[in-house]
Amino acid sequence: MLLSALSNVEPLPAVSEPPASGGAASVEVMADDEPTIGLLAGLDPAVAAELLEQAERRVVRADEVLFTAGQLAHSVHVLGAGAAKLVQAMPGGAQIIVKYVRPGEIFGSPALLDRFYPTDAVAVTEGVELRWSSQLVRTYIDRHPRVAFNVIGDLEARLREMESRLRDLSKEPVEQRLARAILKLVEMFGRQTREGVEIPFPVSRQDLADLIGSTLPTVSRTVRAWEAQRQIRRSRRRLVIADVEAVARILYQENAREPDHERGRSRTARQ
Amino acid sequence: MLLSALSNVEPLPAVSEPPASGGAASVEVMADDEPTIGLLAGLDPAVAAELLEQAERRVVRADEVLFTAGQLAHSVHVLGAGAAKLVQAMPGGAQIIVKYVRPGEIFGSPALLDRFYPTDAVAVTEGVELRWSSQLVRTYIDRHPRVAFNVIGDLEARLREMESRLRDLSKEPVEQRLARAILKLVEMFGRQTREGVEIPFPVSRQDLADLIGSTLPTVSRTVRAWEAQRQIRRSRRRLVIADVEAVARILYQENAREPDHERGRSRTARQ
DNA sequence: CGGGTCGTTGAGGGCTATCAACAAGTGTGG
DNA sequence: CCACACTTGTTGATAGCCCTCAACGACCCG
């Protein structure tokens, strides 16, 4: 009964490593419609199916809050479909978007350690959420170490992603940070349409600002300029990237001051 | 033979959760001299001892490179003593310090997944490094799931730390970021001396800049001002924080615009 | 004591946050 | 279906933080 549309996931592709997600702008558009659930990767198909069956499935509406920061984390979450954002509110009302979550990615993993959720999680589209009680996952980890590796892999990937964002935030101007953020969205969620690549959920200017650590007016101006150059369009609150490569090219404009021909890094080169 | 000074760690304190390391400025100074090795937490003492014995121990000099970014990660690392920094070089020669590592913390965990080290690791003091081949750790994870939880816990903690830094970097001016960074160093490495709390290894202005995403001259100016106010001193290349509370107070100066009395967040409040 | 690294300080200007007012889009109820 | 309220986005003006460039001083090590 809990098992429904998703039971067809059973024949899992074995051990599919998540893409390395390096800092470079590998411009690709998401292909698969059926999410690869990181947590189940590489498991004996029977075990995977069993674990999948025990997930609590739930349809979520857009803008629904999946959990909030500070709650005791009781379960581990994965999206079966849809998308969500992890948001951290700051004193004063500002907020940052820590991450967009796509189907298959684990979130809420602090549950495994009986910690508190560090962020709010908000669905940005209608979708399907799978939840496992932390206790259950722990028993699976005990019996199937592969599950632990899958969690570790996911956390490592997120850590790499955060490191990369930290780097960008420190050293790149808004324009490039914004380009990078959009390219990342394309890579994670982009759907090819006739008009270009579409991000299939609303992304407001404020969202973009919260993603790159900037402000609404600044983001607006920048995006506007790109709209004027026909690189980006907007159709009913959704971003459509008409010319992905043009956006990617922004990353290399005027940036990358030549790496300083001296052997030892000169002083100014370090910053 | 490999087993030497560290064998006395055997009677481990059970299940010591690492401190939550929240965003707030809990001003405390490190107390324990014998590191609690996260990887071994909560294990049967016999197993812990066994695993500890299998570590490859190595004395490292200050400034020694423990591994470099891009290398295939063959082992999981922990410091038995000393301190290290994880550094990510950026095109153009700039770099950022991703993290300072203290004794007991796991680093180089990508090894578990046969990935590549994402950063350079450089010792900042003489110290002791423990290494386990990734293969060995994996067999321990298979047999003792607690090891996996320890890794997960460590990664979670780092993720929280990164989120917190991302938040600060987005929204705080240099002065406060700097104060926060210094307080963090105090919390992680600070030793109480007669003159104040000392960070027991050299931290250059450039290091501080790389830590907060700023530049050497700016950091220099700021720190200089604090030195003039006797909050901070320097003795042979080491930071000494004379008045920790004064530094902590900087976090609250002029910051924290009042949280907006309206019920719904006003527009400007979000940014 | 000399070279090199690291730190200090000044001047200048660009980027972008901030403030503010208006426009456009979206959804709702009459 | 239109009008209205509300949210979201646009655009201008301004200020100021901090990066950049640059030159000099201090410290450390051989």
Side-chain angles (χ1 to χ4, degrees):
Chain A
M1 185 188 179
L2 275 175
L3 189 63
S4 62
L6 278 159
S7 52
N8 55 352
V9 181
E10 192 186 330
L12 275 181
V15 200
S16 69
E17 302 286 330
S21 175
S26 60
V27 182
E28 279 169 42
V29 173
M30 195 179 70
D32 52 355
D33 243 16
E34 198 59 58
T36 300
I37 297 181
L39 197 64
L40 307 181
L43 286 179
D44 176 338
V47 176
E50 178 190 320
L51 184 48
L52 193 56
E53 264 180 63
Q54 300 196 54
E56 200 175 318
R57 262 171 210 74
R58 209 161 68 80
V59 174
V60 298
R61 320 177 297 283
D63 295 323
E64 184 169 341
V65 174
L66 306 182
F67 54 74
T68 60
Q71 278 182 339
L72 182 61
H74 34 63
S75 31
V76 175
H77 307 245
V78 169
L79 289 181
K85 57 183 175 184
L86 304 183
V87 177
Q88 203 161 74
M90 296 182 57
Q95 50 180 49
I96 69 166
I97 297 182
V98 171
K99 178 179 177 49
Y100 275 98
V101 178
R102 74 175 145 186
E105 285 181 315
I106 302 165
F107 62 108
S109 46
L112 291 174
L113 308 162
D114 291 321
R115 298 279 170 75
F116 302 91
Y117 293 121
T119 61
D120 297 344
V122 183
V124 293
T125 9
E126 62 290 358
V128 179
E129 182 199 26
L130 287 76
R131 287 191 309 197
W132 290 271
S133 86
S134 50
Q135 216 180 351
L136 179 71
V137 178
R138 280 195 292 257
T139 68
Y140 268 84
I141 288 179
D142 285 344
R143 286 188 290 145
H144 305 283
R146 175 71 202 217
V147 175
F149 282 111
N150 290 339
V151 173
I152 291 172
D154 229 88
L155 291 175
E156 285 284 355
R158 279 184 61 181
L159 212 44
R160 292 299 93 67
E161 194 186 322
M162 293 296 275
E163 283 165 7
S164 149
R165 281 181 67 185
L166 204 68
R167 226 179 31 214
D168 303 341
L169 205 59
S170 319
K171 305 296 177 188
E172 274 182 355
V174 162
E175 191 175 25
Q176 321 217 351
R177 301 211 300 269
L178 191 51
R180 224 179 268 282
I182 290 176
L183 289 172
K184 177 104 205 206
L185 287 172
V186 166
E187 189 189 319
M188 288 182 70
F189 300 104
R191 292 201 196 294
Q192 194 61 251
T193 70
R194 197 155 299 103
E195 319 242 286
V197 180
E198 189 192 57
I199 309 301
F201 50 81
V203 178
S204 71
R205 306 280 130 131
Q206 183 69 55
D207 285 335
L208 289 173
D210 292 344
L211 206 45
I212 66 171
S214 177
T215 58
L216 194 156
T218 302
V219 168
S220 180
R221 276 182 249 269
T222 310
V223 175
R224 209 89 240 294
W226 294 342
E227 286 177 353
Q229 300 170 237
R230 312 275 165 201
Q231 295 163 2
I232 283 190
R233 180 193 340 285
R234 190 172 17 166
S235 91
R236 55 193 177 94
R237 327 195 66 235
R238 275 153 189 71
L239 282 178
V240 178
I241 293 84
D243 187 349
V244 176
E245 300 208 354
V247 176
R249 235 173 288 126
I250 292 166
L251 299 181
Y252 302 104
Q253 289 174 359
E254 186 62 24
N255 203 19
R257 2 206 90 170
E258 64 230 29
D260 198 300
H261 295 179
E262 329 301 325
R263 44 270 151 89
R265 303 197 287 245
S266 90
R267 213 145 152 207
T268 49
R270 289 200 61 187
Q271 186 31 239
Chain B
M1 186 188 177
L2 275 173
L3 188 65
S4 61
L6 278 159
S7 54
N8 55 350
V9 181
E10 192 185 330
L12 275 180
V15 201
S16 68
E17 302 286 332
S21 172
S26 60
V27 182
E28 279 169 42
V29 173
M30 195 181 70
D32 52 354
D33 241 16
E34 200 58 59
T36 301
I37 296 182
L39 196 65
L40 308 181
L43 288 178
D44 176 336
V47 176
E50 179 190 319
L51 185 48
L52 193 57
E53 264 180 64
Q54 301 196 54
E56 199 174 319
R57 263 171 210 74
R58 208 161 69 81
V59 174
V60 298
R61 318 177 298 282
D63 296 323
E64 185 169 340
V65 174
L66 306 181
F67 54 74
T68 62
Q71 280 183 337
L72 182 61
H74 35 60
S75 31
V76 175
H77 307 244
V78 168
L79 288 181
K85 57 183 175 183
L86 303 183
V87 177
Q88 203 160 73
M90 297 183 58
Q95 51 181 48
I96 68 166
I97 296 181
V98 170
K99 179 179 175 51
Y100 275 96
V101 179
R102 74 175 144 184
E105 286 181 312
I106 302 165
F107 62 108
S109 47
L112 291 174
L113 308 161
D114 290 322
R115 299 279 170 76
F116 301 90
Y117 293 122
T119 60
D120 298 344
V122 183
V124 293
T125 10
E126 61 290 356
V128 178
E129 183 200 23
L130 288 75
R131 289 191 308 195
W132 289 271
S133 87
S134 51
Q135 216 180 350
L136 179 70
V137 178
R138 280 195 293 257
T139 68
Y140 268 85
I141 288 179
D142 287 343
R143 287 187 291 146
H144 305 285
R146 174 70 203 220
V147 175
F149 281 112
N150 290 340
V151 173
I152 290 172
D154 228 88
L155 290 175
E156 285 285 355
R158 279 184 62 179
L159 212 43
R160 293 299 91 70
E161 193 186 321
M162 293 297 275
E163 284 164 6
S164 149
R165 281 180 67 184
L166 204 67
R167 227 179 30 216
D168 302 341
L169 204 58
S170 320
K171 304 296 179 193
E172 274 183 353
V174 162
E175 192 175 21
Q176 321 216 351
R177 300 211 301 270
L178 192 52
R180 225 180 267 282
I182 290 176
L183 289 173
K184 177 104 206 204
L185 286 172
V186 166
E187 190 188 319
M188 288 182 71
F189 299 104
R191 291 202 197 297
Q192 194 61 250
T193 68
R194 197 155 298 104
E195 319 244 286
V197 180
E198 188 192 57
I199 310 301
F201 50 81
V203 178
S204 71
R205 307 280 130 130
Q206 183 69 55
D207 286 333
L208 288 172
D210 292 344
L211 206 46
I212 66 172
S214 178
T215 58
L216 192 156
T218 302
V219 168
S220 180
R221 277 183 249 270
T222 310
V223 174
R224 209 87 240 292
W226 294 342
E227 287 178 351
Q229 299 170 239
R230 313 273 164 198
Q231 295 163 2
I232 283 190
R233 178 194 342 285
R234 192 172 15 164
S235 91
R236 53 195 179 95
R237 325 197 65 237
R238 276 152 188 72
L239 283 178
V240 178
I241 294 82
D243 187 348
V244 175
E245 299 207 354
V247 175
R249 238 174 284 128
I250 292 166
L251 300 180
Y252 301 104
Q253 291 174 358
E254 185 61 25
N255 202 20
R257 5 204 89 171
E258 64 231 28
D260 198 301
H261 296 178
E262 330 299 324
R263 44 272 150 85
R265 302 197 286 243
S266 89
R267 203 135 160 221
T268 48
R270 289 199 61 191
Q271 187 27 240

